[in-house]
Amino acid sequence: MRRIPSRRLFAATLLVASMLAPLTATPAGAVHAATAASTSAPAAGARWHGEDDCPPGGLGPELTARLDKAIEDVRKQAGIPGVAVGLWMPGRGSYVRATGVADKVTGEPMSTDGFIRIGSETKTFTVTALLKLVDDGRIGLDDPIARYVHGVPNGHRITLRHLAEMRSGLFPYTSDPDFIHDLLSEPQRYFTPEEALAYGFRHKNTFKPGAKFEYSNSNLVLLGLVVEKVSGRPLAEFLRNRVLRPAHLRHTFLPSGPEFPEPHPRGYTNQTLDGAVVDSTDWNPSWAWAAGAMISDQHDLRHWAKVLATGELLSPETQAQRLRTLPTGFPGLSYGLGIFDANGWIGHNGSIPGYETVTVYLPERDATLVIMINTDITSGGQEPSTLLARAITSVATPDHVYASAIQPR
């Protein structure tokens, strides 16, 4: 039985992960434009940010052709079954296309209209919920986590800010060998937040609070518990009422289990006990909860990118704290409160077995990029979504190429 490297497994990953067996490349599918109508389209009369500024004719034949080629080259080389990309550049136009397949068995083409598991992009929503409570005056970012959750190693010195910045020093529960075995042995299992955290709490902390950056899902699960304790509401309910509805996101939610509304692509992973590639579409994401279990679609993610980066739901003072990014130790990449700056692109990426996403906003150009794919299998040691984001931005914004350097645990 092949042992999966712990730093790779279930990384609510940030940009790069260690190498696993590559997926055999699927036959190339024709690149096709997205259809205008969709079950996930905004309600009649609704408008998304920048929509009126993006001419429907696209970015022009030359740039469109270069993007088509860049995306298809990465898809083939990395063995990605299906890719859906949205790039909106007000004043210049937009590019909304899909290529490859949503289902390797039926050959159903990938679409830009389906739902997707967004993995660690969930963190942007959880931290926004936390910051809403900061604006309400109900918590402070420098409060110790021990004030809200008991039993956290060194919890009297680890603050909510440390958790949101990934500087707590808590051991990531997803790196615990028993957690890896237990989840992969029963991927339909339901985990409570406390059960997941317990796998990490059995280990010593890896450094003193604030000493350095280390990406850990344990941090965000704890913040989810803080939101629940202070608000007196389940996290899914608080997110719905205080974040999703005010942001006008109609197709984004935190599931309670493996539910996954149609339409959606099938997801493929090799994060298995024997390294075999399997269909992980219906795996239960409860283990990731506030760190990576949410579902969304391209329309909502496009809108969320700007809401998140510009702080529309928060006070200017709180948003300024959120965007105070600190070095991660990797070139071109800094991290704030549940958000990163990758060479000017503000947002987050996500990875969960079978799916990867990138949702980022470039303030300098008022540009938005959303990538959705139906695999998390690495290629050359890198996340396939990162390869795509780098290829797309190299063509569209060569002075702001998406950074990619973090090796998560």
Side-chain angles (χ1 to χ4, degrees):
M1 182 167 65
R2 185 172 76 96
R3 184 177 180 82
I4 303 292
S6 63
R7 71 173 53 188
R8 164 75 181 115
L9 194 61
F10 306 115
T13 62
L14 197 56
L15 308 182
V16 177
S18 60
M19 187 175 189
L20 289 182
L23 174 67
T24 302
T26 56
V31 177
H32 57 88
T35 56
S38 163
T39 57
S40 57
R47 292 181 180 177
W48 304 113
H49 283 271
E51 189 169 33
D52 293 340
D53 297 325
C54 292
L59 294 171
E62 181 181 354
L63 183 54
T64 296
R66 290 176 61 203
L67 287 169
D68 284 348
K69 183 178 187 304
I71 292 166
E72 191 65 0
D73 284 350
V74 171
R75 191 185 72 80
K76 291 178 180 178
Q77 291 164 13
I80 306 169
V83 176
V85 172
L87 174 63
W88 296 270
M89 304 181 73
R92 296 183 63 187
S94 60
Y95 176 98
V96 182
R97 296 196 173 193
T99 180
V101 297
D103 189 323
K104 296 199 295 182
V105 174
T106 67
E108 177 186 353
M110 189 71 169
S111 169
T112 60
D113 294 337
F115 288 90
I116 199 84
R117 297 195 187 279
I118 65 172
S120 279
E121 289 194 33
T122 301
K123 292 175 172 64
T124 65
F125 293 95
T126 299
V127 173
T128 299
L130 184 83
L131 296 179
K132 294 289 284 186
L133 293 173
V134 170
D135 277 345
D136 291 346
R138 303 183 68 182
I139 62 173
L141 284 171
D142 296 314
D143 293 347
I145 184 62
R147 183 176 299 177
Y148 306 100
V149 181
H150 299 299
V152 180
N154 206 19
H156 291 284
R157 297 194 176 191
I158 295 172
T159 67
L160 305 185
R161 188 188 303 275
H162 287 141
L163 295 168
E165 290 179 338
M166 301 293 180
R167 294 175 180 269
S168 71
L170 290 172
F171 186 89
Y173 68 88
T174 50
S175 294
D176 178 77
D178 290 336
F179 170 79
I180 294 169
H181 179 272
D182 292 350
L183 181 54
L184 292 185
S185 297
E186 191 181 354
Q188 288 295 332
R189 173 178 169 178
Y190 179 81
F191 286 84
T192 67
E194 293 80 6
E195 287 171 341
L197 286 169
Y199 288 96
F201 289 173
R202 66 177 67 171
H203 299 270
K204 292 182 179 179
N205 290 8
T206 56
F207 53 83
K208 293 181 180 179
K212 63 179 183 178
F213 175 92
E214 182 182 50
Y215 200 71
S216 172
N217 282 332
S218 300
N219 297 331
L220 267 291
V221 172
L222 282 169
L223 292 182
L225 291 175
V226 171
V227 171
E228 290 198 330
K229 177 159 183 127
V230 175
S231 71
R233 296 287 185 267
L235 178 61
E237 180 183 329
F238 188 88
L239 285 170
R240 183 171 61 250
N241 293 334
R242 297 297 307 279
V243 179
L244 303 176
R245 284 178 179 167
H248 308 293
L249 304 183
R250 301 169 179 83
H251 304 98
T252 303
F253 68 100
L254 177 65
S256 60
E259 61 267 27
F260 199 172
E262 295 285 355
H264 60 255
R266 308 301 297 180
Y268 303 94
T269 189
N270 65 352
Q271 296 200 65
T272 54
L273 289 175
D274 62 1
V277 176
V278 300
D279 184 326
S280 57
T281 307
D282 299 315
W283 285 14
N284 191 336
S286 61
W287 60 270
W289 193 52
M294 289 181 74
I295 290 170
S296 189
D297 68 3
Q298 187 188 76
H299 295 284
D300 275 12
L301 293 178
R302 175 194 174 183
H303 185 53
W304 178 242
K306 189 169 185 178
V307 170
L308 175 68
T310 60
E312 290 185 22
L313 300 184
L314 303 174
S315 69
E317 296 77 16
T318 298
Q319 178 69 3
Q321 291 195 68
R322 171 172 224 161
L323 294 180
R324 188 180 66 91
T325 60
L326 299 174
T328 61
F330 303 94
L333 190 69
S334 57
Y335 202 87
L337 301 176
I339 197 169
F340 66 58
D341 182 329
N343 280 337
W345 288 95
I346 307 297
H348 219 288
N349 68 325
S351 182
I352 196 165
Y355 300 94
E356 289 194 349
T357 55
V358 174
T359 297
V360 287
Y361 176 76
L362 184 62
E364 185 175 306
R365 305 283 180 81
D366 192 22
T368 301
L369 173 63
V370 176
I371 298 171
M372 308 188 306
I373 64 175
N374 58 343
T375 187
D376 66 314
I377 299 173
T378 57
S379 175
Q382 297 193 60
E383 298 291 330
S385 59
T386 294
L387 295 173
L388 284 164
R390 192 162 58 233
I392 292 165
T393 54
S394 293
V395 171
T397 57
D399 51 342
H400 292 284
V401 176
Y402 186 81
S404 53
I406 283 187
Q407 184 104 352
R409 296 192 65 171

